[in-house]
Amino acid sequence: LVLQINRSLVDKTYDRLAETRFLFVSQSLKTALELNIGLGFPLAELRVSQELIEREKADDDQILAIEVLDDSGRSLFSTDRGTVGEEAPADWSQAIQVMGGQRWTVIERDAIVIGVPIVNDFEKTVGYVALQYAKTYFDQRIDAFTESLTLWGIGIFAVLALVLLVSTMGFTAASAARPRALLAIFSGEAPPALNGDPLTHLAVAAQEKIESAAAYLDSRAKDLQRLDDEL
């Protein structure tokens, strides 16, 4: 249950970090285009748009494509020049209609598309910046993190199962002091001395493993929080 909760938390955190990262790129392009529109140039004639979107795509290999669309969803400029002049995919067009001049998002099989409206000086939406980025990279990062957590979980489970098995087998022969010693170990207290008792030695090793795993999970959580704070 703890591992599943951590997986869910990491998944949501990566999604939020990725969206923030690429939304910043989209907003930067939006601002640059709106400045040129404010100088009196129609969006369809802003040749600088092609240079801007190609430069942004070249700077980040996780960006699959960037397009500048008109208000109806037709491609005016694109890093994939073969799509220029074509209508946007049906799910993009549907998102544009539903959101009505607001920011929109489309989740595809292997990519996520963020659409940001381009607004002129009269507060009219004249087009959109549509940025498409890959999901694969972030899915791989999440899978790697989950694999690491799973290995820790298996290790902890195996140690605790072994402790339980040995405890069950040796319970009838256990001295009266052994239960108190085990309770002290798993409570973080100093156990009474039971020289040569293999069960208490095993319990100490299990507790050390649990503490090490807890420290590891705590450090990964702090790393995620630090990344979130930086963005």
Side-chain angles (χ1 to χ4, degrees), residues 6 8 12 38 59-60 69 74 80 101 109 146 163 173 186-188 205-207 215 224-225:
N6 274 275
S8 177
K12 291 179 181 179
D59 287 343
D60 194 328
L69 311 173
R74 183 172 60 90
D80 180 7
R109 187 180 65 177
T146 302
V163 170
F186 290 111
S187 298
Q207 179 65 8
L224 287 174
Q225 184 62 48

PDB file of all heavy atoms in Angstrom, residues 6 8 12 38 59-60 69 74 80 101 109 146 163 173 186-188 205-207 215 224-225:
ATOM      1  N   ASN A   6       3.183   5.908  -2.943  1.00  0.00           N
ATOM      2  CA  ASN A   6       4.352   6.635  -3.440  1.00  0.00           C
ATOM      3  C   ASN A   6       4.363   6.708  -4.958  1.00  0.00           C
ATOM      4  O   ASN A   6       4.716   7.734  -5.534  1.00  0.00           O
ATOM      5  CB  ASN A   6       5.635   5.959  -2.945  1.00  0.00           C
ATOM      6  CG  ASN A   6       6.055   6.447  -1.578  1.00  0.00           C
ATOM      7  OD1 ASN A   6       6.718   7.460  -1.451  1.00  0.00           O
ATOM      8  ND2 ASN A   6       5.637   5.741  -0.545  1.00  0.00           N
ATOM      9  N   SER A   8       1.750   6.725  -6.950  1.00  0.00           N
ATOM     10  CA  SER A   8       0.732   7.695  -7.331  1.00  0.00           C
ATOM     11  C   SER A   8       1.231   9.121  -7.113  1.00  0.00           C
ATOM     12  O   SER A   8       1.028  10.003  -7.961  1.00  0.00           O
ATOM     13  CB  SER A   8      -0.544   7.445  -6.533  1.00  0.00           C
ATOM     14  OG  SER A   8      -1.525   8.408  -6.834  1.00  0.00           O
ATOM     15  N   LYS A  12       1.883  11.929 -10.151  1.00  0.00           N
ATOM     16  CA  LYS A  12       1.235  13.244 -10.186  1.00  0.00           C
ATOM     17  C   LYS A  12       2.272  14.368 -10.173  1.00  0.00           C
ATOM     18  O   LYS A  12       2.107  15.392 -10.846  1.00  0.00           O
ATOM     19  CB  LYS A  12       0.296  13.394  -8.993  1.00  0.00           C
ATOM     20  CG  LYS A  12      -0.931  12.499  -9.068  1.00  0.00           C
ATOM     21  CD  LYS A  12      -1.810  12.666  -7.843  1.00  0.00           C
ATOM     22  CE  LYS A  12      -3.036  11.757  -7.910  1.00  0.00           C
ATOM     23  NZ  LYS A  12      -3.891  11.889  -6.707  1.00  0.00           N
ATOM     24  N   GLY A  38       0.856  43.247 -31.768  1.00  0.00           N
ATOM     25  CA  GLY A  38       0.624  44.601 -31.277  1.00  0.00           C
ATOM     26  C   GLY A  38       1.268  45.668 -32.142  1.00  0.00           C
ATOM     27  O   GLY A  38       0.854  46.836 -32.113  1.00  0.00           O
ATOM     28  N   ASP A  59      15.904  23.351 -28.719  1.00  0.00           N
ATOM     29  CA  ASP A  59      16.478  23.465 -27.373  1.00  0.00           C
ATOM     30  C   ASP A  59      16.007  22.371 -26.427  1.00  0.00           C
ATOM     31  O   ASP A  59      16.546  22.231 -25.329  1.00  0.00           O
ATOM     32  CB  ASP A  59      16.123  24.838 -26.766  1.00  0.00           C
ATOM     33  CG  ASP A  59      16.914  25.965 -27.403  1.00  0.00           C
ATOM     34  OD1 ASP A  59      17.935  25.678 -28.056  1.00  0.00           O
ATOM     35  OD2 ASP A  59      16.505  27.134 -27.247  1.00  0.00           O
ATOM     36  N   ASP A  60      14.989  21.601 -26.802  1.00  0.00           N
ATOM     37  CA  ASP A  60      14.439  20.594 -25.892  1.00  0.00           C
ATOM     38  C   ASP A  60      14.025  19.356 -26.683  1.00  0.00           C
ATOM     39  O   ASP A  60      13.073  19.389 -27.465  1.00  0.00           O
ATOM     40  CB  ASP A  60      13.224  21.158 -25.145  1.00  0.00           C
ATOM     41  CG  ASP A  60      12.818  20.309 -23.966  1.00  0.00           C
ATOM     42  OD1 ASP A  60      13.008  19.082 -24.036  1.00  0.00           O
ATOM     43  OD2 ASP A  60      12.308  20.862 -22.983  1.00  0.00           O
ATOM     44  N   LEU A  69      -1.464  28.012 -34.722  1.00  0.00           N
ATOM     45  CA  LEU A  69      -2.745  27.807 -35.389  1.00  0.00           C
ATOM     46  C   LEU A  69      -3.517  29.116 -35.450  1.00  0.00           C
ATOM     47  O   LEU A  69      -3.330  29.992 -34.598  1.00  0.00           O
ATOM     48  CB  LEU A  69      -3.585  26.779 -34.616  1.00  0.00           C
ATOM     49  CG  LEU A  69      -2.897  25.458 -34.221  1.00  0.00           C
ATOM     50  CD1 LEU A  69      -3.836  24.649 -33.327  1.00  0.00           C
ATOM     51  CD2 LEU A  69      -2.508  24.659 -35.450  1.00  0.00           C
ATOM     52  N   ARG A  74      -6.515  26.001 -38.018  1.00  0.00           N
ATOM     53  CA  ARG A  74      -5.687  25.699 -39.196  1.00  0.00           C
ATOM     54  C   ARG A  74      -4.237  26.053 -38.900  1.00  0.00           C
ATOM     55  O   ARG A  74      -3.951  27.077 -38.293  1.00  0.00           O
ATOM     56  CB  ARG A  74      -6.192  26.489 -40.409  1.00  0.00           C
ATOM     57  CG  ARG A  74      -5.443  26.180 -41.711  1.00  0.00           C
ATOM     58  CD  ARG A  74      -6.141  26.855 -42.889  1.00  0.00           C
ATOM     59  NE  ARG A  74      -6.169  28.302 -42.705  1.00  0.00           N
ATOM     60  CZ  ARG A  74      -5.212  29.135 -43.143  1.00  0.00           C
ATOM     61  NH1 ARG A  74      -4.153  28.654 -43.784  1.00  0.00           N
ATOM     62  NH2 ARG A  74      -5.324  30.420 -42.933  1.00  0.00           N
ATOM     63  N   ASP A  80       6.897  20.878 -38.013  1.00  0.00           N
ATOM     64  CA  ASP A  80       6.682  19.849 -39.035  1.00  0.00           C
ATOM     65  C   ASP A  80       6.026  20.539 -40.222  1.00  0.00           C
ATOM     66  O   ASP A  80       4.807  20.639 -40.293  1.00  0.00           O
ATOM     67  CB  ASP A  80       5.801  18.728 -38.495  1.00  0.00           C
ATOM     68  CG  ASP A  80       5.542  17.641 -39.528  1.00  0.00           C
ATOM     69  OD1 ASP A  80       6.161  17.689 -40.616  1.00  0.00           O
ATOM     70  OD2 ASP A  80       4.726  16.748 -39.242  1.00  0.00           O
ATOM     71  N   GLY A 101     -11.372  29.807 -26.469  1.00  0.00           N
ATOM     72  CA  GLY A 101     -10.381  30.865 -26.300  1.00  0.00           C
ATOM     73  C   GLY A 101      -9.563  30.751 -25.026  1.00  0.00           C
ATOM     74  O   GLY A 101      -8.767  31.647 -24.730  1.00  0.00           O
ATOM     75  N   ARG A 109      -1.907   9.189 -27.172  1.00  0.00           N
ATOM     76  CA  ARG A 109      -1.355   7.910 -26.722  1.00  0.00           C
ATOM     77  C   ARG A 109       0.079   8.054 -26.220  1.00  0.00           C
ATOM     78  O   ARG A 109       0.426   7.540 -25.158  1.00  0.00           O
ATOM     79  CB  ARG A 109      -1.393   6.884 -27.868  1.00  0.00           C
ATOM     80  CG  ARG A 109      -0.981   5.476 -27.413  1.00  0.00           C
ATOM     81  CD  ARG A 109      -1.037   4.496 -28.554  1.00  0.00           C
ATOM     82  NE  ARG A 109      -0.050   4.826 -29.576  1.00  0.00           N
ATOM     83  CZ  ARG A 109       0.154   4.101 -30.672  1.00  0.00           C
ATOM     84  NH1 ARG A 109      -0.596   3.041 -30.905  1.00  0.00           N
ATOM     85  NH2 ARG A 109       1.074   4.455 -31.554  1.00  0.00           N
ATOM     86  N   THR A 146       9.667   3.568  -9.562  1.00  0.00           N
ATOM     87  CA  THR A 146       8.805   2.532  -9.018  1.00  0.00           C
ATOM     88  C   THR A 146       9.564   1.226  -8.841  1.00  0.00           C
ATOM     89  O   THR A 146       9.377   0.512  -7.850  1.00  0.00           O
ATOM     90  CB  THR A 146       7.601   2.305  -9.950  1.00  0.00           C
ATOM     91  OG1 THR A 146       6.890   3.532 -10.105  1.00  0.00           O
ATOM     92  CG2 THR A 146       6.661   1.264  -9.378  1.00  0.00           C
ATOM     93  N   VAL A 163      11.612 -13.009   9.853  1.00  0.00           N
ATOM     94  CA  VAL A 163      11.515 -12.796  11.297  1.00  0.00           C
ATOM     95  C   VAL A 163      10.274 -13.484  11.860  1.00  0.00           C
ATOM     96  O   VAL A 163      10.322 -14.143  12.912  1.00  0.00           O
ATOM     97  CB  VAL A 163      11.485 -11.291  11.614  1.00  0.00           C
ATOM     98  CG1 VAL A 163      11.130 -11.051  13.073  1.00  0.00           C
ATOM     99  CG2 VAL A 163      12.828 -10.654  11.290  1.00  0.00           C
ATOM    100  N   ALA A 173      10.315 -22.255  22.506  1.00  0.00           N
ATOM    101  CA  ALA A 173      11.584 -22.360  23.216  1.00  0.00           C
ATOM    102  C   ALA A 173      12.118 -21.002  23.641  1.00  0.00           C
ATOM    103  O   ALA A 173      13.192 -20.902  24.228  1.00  0.00           O
ATOM    104  CB  ALA A 173      12.621 -23.068  22.337  1.00  0.00           C
ATOM    105  N   PHE A 186      12.136  -3.185  17.834  1.00  0.00           N
ATOM    106  CA  PHE A 186      11.255  -2.569  16.839  1.00  0.00           C
ATOM    107  C   PHE A 186      10.632  -1.263  17.342  1.00  0.00           C
ATOM    108  O   PHE A 186       9.965  -0.564  16.590  1.00  0.00           O
ATOM    109  CB  PHE A 186      10.170  -3.545  16.405  1.00  0.00           C
ATOM    110  CG  PHE A 186      10.697  -4.684  15.572  1.00  0.00           C
ATOM    111  CD1 PHE A 186      10.715  -5.972  16.058  1.00  0.00           C
ATOM    112  CD2 PHE A 186      11.205  -4.460  14.304  1.00  0.00           C
ATOM    113  CE1 PHE A 186      11.213  -7.015  15.296  1.00  0.00           C
ATOM    114  CE2 PHE A 186      11.705  -5.490  13.529  1.00  0.00           C
ATOM    115  CZ  PHE A 186      11.707  -6.780  14.029  1.00  0.00           C
ATOM    116  N   SER A 187      10.858  -0.939  18.622  1.00  0.00           N
ATOM    117  CA  SER A 187      10.432   0.357  19.152  1.00  0.00           C
ATOM    118  C   SER A 187      11.554   1.371  19.121  1.00  0.00           C
ATOM    119  O   SER A 187      11.365   2.525  19.516  1.00  0.00           O
ATOM    120  CB  SER A 187       9.941   0.195  20.602  1.00  0.00           C
ATOM    121  OG  SER A 187       8.823  -0.660  20.663  1.00  0.00           O
ATOM    122  N   GLY A 188      12.728   0.943  18.662  1.00  0.00           N
ATOM    123  CA  GLY A 188      13.869   1.851  18.581  1.00  0.00           C
ATOM    124  C   GLY A 188      14.602   2.015  19.887  1.00  0.00           C
ATOM    125  O   GLY A 188      15.415   2.935  20.035  1.00  0.00           O
ATOM    126  N   ALA A 205      18.918  -6.840  12.534  1.00  0.00           N
ATOM    127  CA  ALA A 205      19.211  -6.660  11.106  1.00  0.00           C
ATOM    128  C   ALA A 205      17.978  -6.177  10.353  1.00  0.00           C
ATOM    129  O   ALA A 205      18.060  -5.315   9.463  1.00  0.00           O
ATOM    130  CB  ALA A 205      19.713  -7.972  10.504  1.00  0.00           C
ATOM    131  N   ALA A 206      16.794  -6.715  10.692  1.00  0.00           N
ATOM    132  CA  ALA A 206      15.551  -6.299  10.038  1.00  0.00           C
ATOM    133  C   ALA A 206      15.246  -4.841  10.325  1.00  0.00           C
ATOM    134  O   ALA A 206      14.853  -4.077   9.436  1.00  0.00           O
ATOM    135  CB  ALA A 206      14.400  -7.186  10.505  1.00  0.00           C
ATOM    136  N   GLN A 207      15.424  -4.427  11.577  1.00  0.00           N
ATOM    137  CA  GLN A 207      15.159  -3.035  11.945  1.00  0.00           C
ATOM    138  C   GLN A 207      16.089  -2.085  11.211  1.00  0.00           C
ATOM    139  O   GLN A 207      15.674  -1.007  10.768  1.00  0.00           O
ATOM    140  CB  GLN A 207      15.306  -2.867  13.468  1.00  0.00           C
ATOM    141  CG  GLN A 207      15.064  -1.451  13.966  1.00  0.00           C
ATOM    142  CD  GLN A 207      13.634  -0.977  13.752  1.00  0.00           C
ATOM    143  OE1 GLN A 207      12.770  -1.756  13.362  1.00  0.00           O
ATOM    144  NE2 GLN A 207      13.387   0.293  13.961  1.00  0.00           N
ATOM    145  N   ALA A 215      14.762   5.957   5.313  1.00  0.00           N
ATOM    146  CA  ALA A 215      15.627   7.094   5.005  1.00  0.00           C
ATOM    147  C   ALA A 215      15.706   7.319   3.505  1.00  0.00           C
ATOM    148  O   ALA A 215      15.715   8.457   3.026  1.00  0.00           O
ATOM    149  CB  ALA A 215      17.025   6.857   5.584  1.00  0.00           C
ATOM    150  N   LEU A 224      12.095  15.308  -4.824  1.00  0.00           N
ATOM    151  CA  LEU A 224      10.937  15.736  -5.601  1.00  0.00           C
ATOM    152  C   LEU A 224      10.460  17.118  -5.169  1.00  0.00           C
ATOM    153  O   LEU A 224      10.102  17.956  -5.995  1.00  0.00           O
ATOM    154  CB  LEU A 224       9.807  14.718  -5.452  1.00  0.00           C
ATOM    155  CG  LEU A 224      10.009  13.389  -6.178  1.00  0.00           C
ATOM    156  CD1 LEU A 224       8.894  12.423  -5.821  1.00  0.00           C
ATOM    157  CD2 LEU A 224      10.065  13.596  -7.681  1.00  0.00           C
ATOM    158  N   GLN A 225      10.458  17.342  -3.860  1.00  0.00           N
ATOM    159  CA  GLN A 225      10.032  18.644  -3.355  1.00  0.00           C
ATOM    160  C   GLN A 225      10.984  19.738  -3.816  1.00  0.00           C
ATOM    161  O   GLN A 225      10.570  20.855  -4.170  1.00  0.00           O
ATOM    162  CB  GLN A 225       9.988  18.600  -1.824  1.00  0.00           C
ATOM    163  CG  GLN A 225       9.450  19.885  -1.198  1.00  0.00           C
ATOM    164  CD  GLN A 225       8.029  20.176  -1.612  1.00  0.00           C
ATOM    165  OE1 GLN A 225       7.177  19.289  -1.550  1.00  0.00           O
ATOM    166  NE2 GLN A 225       7.746  21.383  -2.063  1.00  0.00           N
TER     167      GLN A 225
END
